[in-house]
């Protein structure tokens, strides 16, 4: 199928790009065909976020969003930042980046569903349930589109009764909007060496639950963030608690994937966090209604790769447009999608002789670039530990005002683990089934589903490494960092082996990032598989 523009991923960045393209075409009376493919069973099914969002990009893209029924119903009324010790909490002053005055607490999944409707009304063709699995190239190496994966290929590579061949979608411009650690983006970055000159991308893992709490514990519009306990001072991370409408509270924990101790389990740190004396009260007598996890790009401006290549562009989290100190990537993802759209529209209709997009130039002149530039040194300063990072960040923010003449560097997350025998063992309390839970009952409420008879989408480059390296040196950390219990070491008479329960995978991409030898390659499973998040 031929289109002017094909976009991979119906998240905030991909849909904003599609909407902007159609708006420009309508304004200037031009025809532009735009197609979006989405691996989730429906738009929003794979969206997991906090989320408190800034409306700056939405105001620019759809100024009339309120009247058009956008699901932004809860304005933030109060911000609290806490430092936790195991028994106590201390209120810290809210730094300017974390001031949420004028922002909204939302289910990003629902915002994305609404954006999908707006896009369709403008004539964008959206195909949910289709994973893009291959990048297509022209003879001269220019990207000419993508192919969606075949459906109905069994475990042994055989065609099953439900076999359906994948489709080739050809385009003049292909936009990758796959979100954090995009699987096709990874290949495009490698093919065109897009990371040359950029710092390594660093990541965090965010684990989230949605709770319905008793009305007297609920304060609509309240936003709480915490640092400190249960993490030690060398591990970057913290929690969020957002009081939405209908007595719902979104609670989550984000941990930097540069953590060093292979015994650490982000899932269990999150469970433990909920038992803090000043936190647990919110959830007692409440009911957990949803669960999920997703990686988050933390490298900031210095980790953004080259965002254009012959035949297309990278937008949103897959490129790394996220403001880490704000813990916000939605407005930045949307803005990057809109700027890519302007540049693509220009290339398709005005400057048709140009071989490359002027997207980078537009980015550099935008508020998005200045916003990311101002905060670029904050996340990397936490390599000096919590207190060192806090001191540096205060100096950078209040004294230098984000204009430091230097840029701090990053490291690769997968190289940070120390051998298990050199790290402190961590014993986590057993789940009580009331406030704290195990992985399997959690995955159950993520509504994750995969066709069982298909090739494993977690590819091992070398089958022996999980035992010969991961187990022997790092005590098999994939058992702990995977928030869905996909990886299990099974002891058998012939020795230990790694069992991969791929059907539980919630597509967070942590294994692709944190595996110490980069032996795990996450590829999209059959389209429509994965979580079905209701309103995350
Ligand atoms: C725990 C957590 C809390 C967060 N809190 C906030 C917050 O409070 N405020 C805020 O502004 N931001 C927050 N963020 C960040 C925000 O969610 C992201 O910045 C934003 O979602 C990025 O949008 P995107 O379109 O780039 O990617 P995504 O939202 O990840 O969308 C990418 C889409 O592409 C699809 N896709 C990927 N690969 C393929 C493929 N090969 N084929 C087809 N489809 C594909 C995915 O299924 C997905 O729907 C948070 C993130 C996390 C993980
Ligand atoms: S298998 Fe990998 S991508 Fe899937 S849930 Fe586990 S860590 Fe995340």
């Amino acid at each position: 199928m031929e289109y002017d523009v094909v976009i991979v991923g119906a998240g905030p960045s991909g849909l904003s790009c599609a909407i902007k393209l159609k708006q420009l075409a309508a304004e200037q009376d031009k025809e532009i065909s735009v197609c979006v493919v989405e691996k989730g069973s429906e738009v929003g099914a794979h969206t997991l976020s906090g989320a408190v969002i800034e409306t700056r990009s939405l105001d620019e893209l759809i100024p009339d969003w309120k009247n058009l029924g956008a699901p932004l119903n809860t304005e933030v009324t109060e911000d609290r930042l806490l430092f936790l010790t195991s028994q106590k909490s201390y209120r810290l002053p809210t730094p300017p980046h974390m001031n949420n005055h004028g922002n909204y607490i939302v289910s990003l999944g629902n915002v994305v569903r609404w954006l999908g409707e707006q896009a369709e009304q403008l004539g964008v063709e959206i195909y949910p349930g289709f994973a893009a699995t291959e990048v297509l190239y022209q003879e001269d190496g220019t990207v000419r589109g993508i192919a969606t994966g075949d459906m109905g290929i069994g475990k042994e590579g055989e065609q099953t009764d439900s076999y359906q061949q994948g489709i080739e979608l050809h385009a003049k411009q292909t936009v990758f909007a796959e979100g954090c650690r995009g699987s096709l983006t990874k290949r495009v970055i490698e093919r065109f060496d897009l990371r040359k000159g950029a710092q390594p991308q660093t990541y965090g893992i965010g684990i989230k639950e949605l709770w319905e709490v008793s009305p007297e514990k609920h304060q609509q519009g309240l936003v709480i963030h915490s640092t400190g306990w249960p993490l030690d001072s060398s591990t970057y991370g913290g929690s969020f608690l957002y009081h939405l409408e209908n007595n719902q509270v979104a609670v989550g924990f984000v941990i930097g994937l540069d953590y060093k101790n292979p015994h650490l389990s982000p899932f269990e740190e999150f469970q433990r966090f909920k038992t803090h004396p000043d936190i647990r009260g919110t959830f007692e007598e409440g009911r957990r209604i949803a669960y999920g996890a997703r990686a988050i790009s933390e490298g900031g401006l210095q980790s953004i790769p080259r965002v254009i290549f012959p035949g297309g562009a990278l937008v949103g989290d897959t490129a790394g447009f996220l403001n880490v100190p704000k813990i916000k990537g939605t407005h930045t993802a949307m803005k990057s999608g809109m700027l890519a759209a302007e540049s693509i529209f220009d290339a398709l209709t005005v400057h048709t002789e140009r071989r490359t997009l002027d997207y980078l130039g537009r980015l550099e002149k935008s508020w998005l670039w200045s916003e990311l530039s101002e905060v670029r040194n904050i996340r990397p300063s936490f390599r000096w530990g919590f207190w060192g990072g806090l001191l540096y960040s205060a100096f950078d923010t209040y004294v230098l005002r984000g204009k430091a003449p230097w840029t701090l560097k990053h490291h690769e997350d997968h190289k940070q683990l120390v051998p298990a025998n050199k790290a402190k063992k961590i014993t986590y309390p057993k789940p009580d089934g009331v406030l704290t839970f195990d992985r399997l009952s959690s995955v159950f409420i993520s509504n994750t589903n995969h066709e069982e008879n298909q090739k494993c989408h977690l590819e091992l480059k070398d089958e022996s490494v999980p035992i010969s390296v991961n187990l022997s040196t790092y005590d098999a950390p994939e058992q702990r960092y995977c928030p869905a219990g996909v990886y299990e070491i099974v002891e058998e008479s012939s020795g230990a082996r790694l069992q991969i329960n791929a059907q539980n995978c919630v597509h967070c991409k942590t294994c692709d990032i944190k595996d110490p030898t980069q032996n795990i390659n996450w590829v999209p499973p059959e389209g429509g598989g994965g979580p079905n998040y209701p309103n995350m």
Side-chain angles (χ1 to χ4, degrees):
M1 293 164 81
E2 302 282 340
Y3 291 91
D4 291 313
V5 184
V6 164
I7 298 172
V8 181
S13 62
L15 290 171
S16 300
C17 182
I19 290 171
K20 188 75 196 174
L21 277 164
K22 283 291 192 181
Q23 287 173 339
L24 290 167
E27 273 164 27
Q28 301 191 24
D29 213 9
K30 298 261 167 40
E31 274 295 318
I32 286 208
S33 54
V34 183
C35 163
V36 182
V37 288
E38 166 54 50
K39 67 180 165 60
S41 61
E42 53 151 351
V43 172
H46 286 182
T47 304
L48 179 138
S49 193
V52 173
I53 61 168
E54 267 186 43
T55 61
R56 190 168 187 179
S57 297
L58 186 59
D59 294 337
E60 289 178 14
L61 185 68
I62 308 178
D64 201 22
W65 56 265
K66 265 193 190 145
N67 292 328
L68 292 170
L72 280 72
N73 307 320
T74 303
E75 222 177 318
V76 176
T77 52
E78 188 186 338
D79 266 313
R80 285 184 209 157
L81 176 62
L82 305 177
F83 175 74
L84 303 184
T85 61
S86 65
Q87 296 302 317
K88 291 211 155 15
S89 64
Y90 301 91
R91 188 99 179 245
L92 300 176
T94 306
H97 320 295
M98 295 182 89
N99 179 347
N100 283 303
H101 182 78
N103 296 338
Y104 285 78
I105 306 178
V106 298
S107 146
L108 191 61
N110 292 341
V111 173
V112 159
R113 284 179 183 93
W114 178 84
L115 282 173
E117 286 164 18
Q118 306 308 304
E120 282 183 329
Q121 278 167 21
L122 292 167
V124 175
E125 290 178 37
I126 305 182
Y127 296 108
F130 288 90
T133 55
E134 200 186 328
V135 185
L136 305 172
Y137 299 94
Q138 290 176 5
E139 270 173 20
D140 68 358
T142 305
V143 171
R144 74 182 301 216
I146 53 96
T148 64
D150 293 344
M151 310 279 252
I153 300 283
K155 277 198 163 84
E156 309 301 329
E158 77 286 7
Q159 293 182 4
T160 66
D161 292 344
S162 55
Y163 176 73
Q164 248 187 314
Q165 201 181 7
I167 309 164
E168 287 199 359
L169 299 170
H170 296 173
K172 293 181 187 128
Q173 293 288 335
T174 305
V175 177
F176 294 93
E178 297 178 282
C180 180
R181 194 73 169 194
S183 49
L184 294 189
T185 305
K186 218 168 109 177
R187 290 186 223 167
V188 172
I189 286 180
E190 221 173 275
R191 167 114 179 187
F192 295 106
D193 199 12
L194 302 180
R195 295 218 73 86
K196 196 171 163 195
Q199 287 292 304
Q201 184 56 269
T202 64
Y203 302 88
I205 174 176
I207 306 178
K208 173 181 166 181
E209 294 175 349
L210 190 65
W211 282 70
E212 194 177 283
V213 302
S214 49
E216 65 275 14
K217 310 272 180 70
H218 189 251
Q219 184 185 327
Q220 188 162 335
L222 174 64
V223 163
I224 302 177
H225 291 107
S226 78
T227 61
W229 189 86
L231 299 181
D232 63 26
S233 67
S234 63
T235 309
Y236 182 79
S239 77
F240 61 86
L241 251 105
Y242 303 151
H243 289 238
L244 298 123
E245 62 262 35
N246 301 328
N247 295 324
Q248 291 187 351
V249 174
V251 55
F253 211 89
V254 180
I255 295 188
L257 281 174
D258 58 346
Y259 69 82
K260 293 191 167 51
N261 186 339
H263 301 297
L264 185 139
S265 160
F267 175 85
E268 267 132 342
E269 294 293 341
F270 172 40
Q271 296 305 316
R272 189 147 74 156
F273 155 76
K274 287 181 290 173
T275 64
H276 188 276
D278 290 345
I279 301 293
R280 60 183 305 138
T282 304
F283 303 104
E284 280 164 348
E285 294 116 47
R287 187 171 69 94
R288 189 173 76 141
I289 47 183
Y291 168 85
R294 183 79 174 96
I296 182 166
S297 311
E298 289 191 344
L301 194 72
Q302 55 271 54
S303 298
I304 293 174
R306 202 143 46 86
V307 287
I308 48 168
F309 48 83
L314 308 176
V315 300
D317 264 15
T318 206
F321 289 107
L322 186 131
N323 184 327
V324 191
K326 278 189 179 175
I327 337 170
K328 289 186 183 60
T330 308
H331 66 294
T332 47
M334 290 179 72
K335 182 67 180 175
S336 67
M338 289 151 65
L339 292 169
E342 286 172 12
S343 172
I344 290 170
F345 182 77
D346 195 48
L348 292 179
T349 61
V350 187
H351 295 105
T352 45
E353 78 295 346
R354 255 197 212 138
R355 284 184 57 81
T356 50
L357 299 173
D358 64 354
Y359 169 41
L360 181 61
R362 287 174 194 263
L363 278 166
E364 284 170 348
K365 284 190 220 117
S366 71
W367 56 256
L368 165 55
W369 208 258
S370 336
E371 180 179 323
L372 294 184
S373 175
E374 270 175 31
V375 297
R376 70 191 185 285
N377 285 329
I378 294 190
R379 172 64 181 96
S381 73
F382 281 84
R383 80 169 79 142
W384 298 312
F386 176 74
W387 296 109
L390 202 67
L391 275 177
Y392 175 85
S393 299
F395 175 67
D396 197 296
T397 307
Y398 295 107
V399 181
L400 301 174
R401 301 197 171 270
K403 302 218 164 15
W406 56 80
T407 295
L408 299 180
K409 297 203 163 120
H410 283 301
H411 42 231
E412 289 171 291
D413 291 334
H414 69 272
K415 293 187 177 155
Q416 303 306 311
L417 286 180
V418 300
N421 60 7
K422 298 214 161 68
K424 194 173 147 215
K425 280 240 175 207
I426 309 177
T427 315
Y428 291 105
K430 283 213 155 40
D432 61 16
V434 182
L435 273 188
T436 60
F437 303 91
D438 62 15
R439 282 176 172 75
L440 287 189
S441 60
S442 301
V443 176
F444 184 72
I445 55 168
S446 69
N447 304 313
T448 297
N449 194 24
H450 288 96
E451 165 60 52
E452 284 214 13
N453 187 16
Q454 66 174 303
K455 268 180 83 181
C456 180
H457 71 279
L458 301 150
E459 296 176 345
L460 299 180
K461 290 181 197 151
D462 180 338
E463 300 263 334
S464 69
V465 163
I467 303 302
S468 65
V469 179
N470 289 16
L471 180 62
S472 69
T473 310
Y474 302 106
D475 194 24
E478 59 273 38
Q479 297 190 100
R480 290 174 291 281
Y481 64 58
C482 172
V486 168
Y487 299 100
E488 270 181 274
I489 295 291
V490 180
E491 295 291 343
E492 287 174 346
S493 52
S494 52
R497 76 177 170 84
L498 179 71
Q499 177 167 304
I500 304 182
N501 307 308
Q503 68 278 11
N504 285 357
C505 173
V506 295
H507 298 199
C508 76
K509 312 275 180 80
T510 302
C511 50
D512 195 278
I513 298 164
K514 188 66 178 169
D515 184 67
T517 61
Q518 295 287 275
N519 189 46
I520 301 174
N521 187 30
W522 189 100
V523 299
E526 213 170 78
N532 282 286
Y533 295 135
N535 45 0
M536 294 287 266

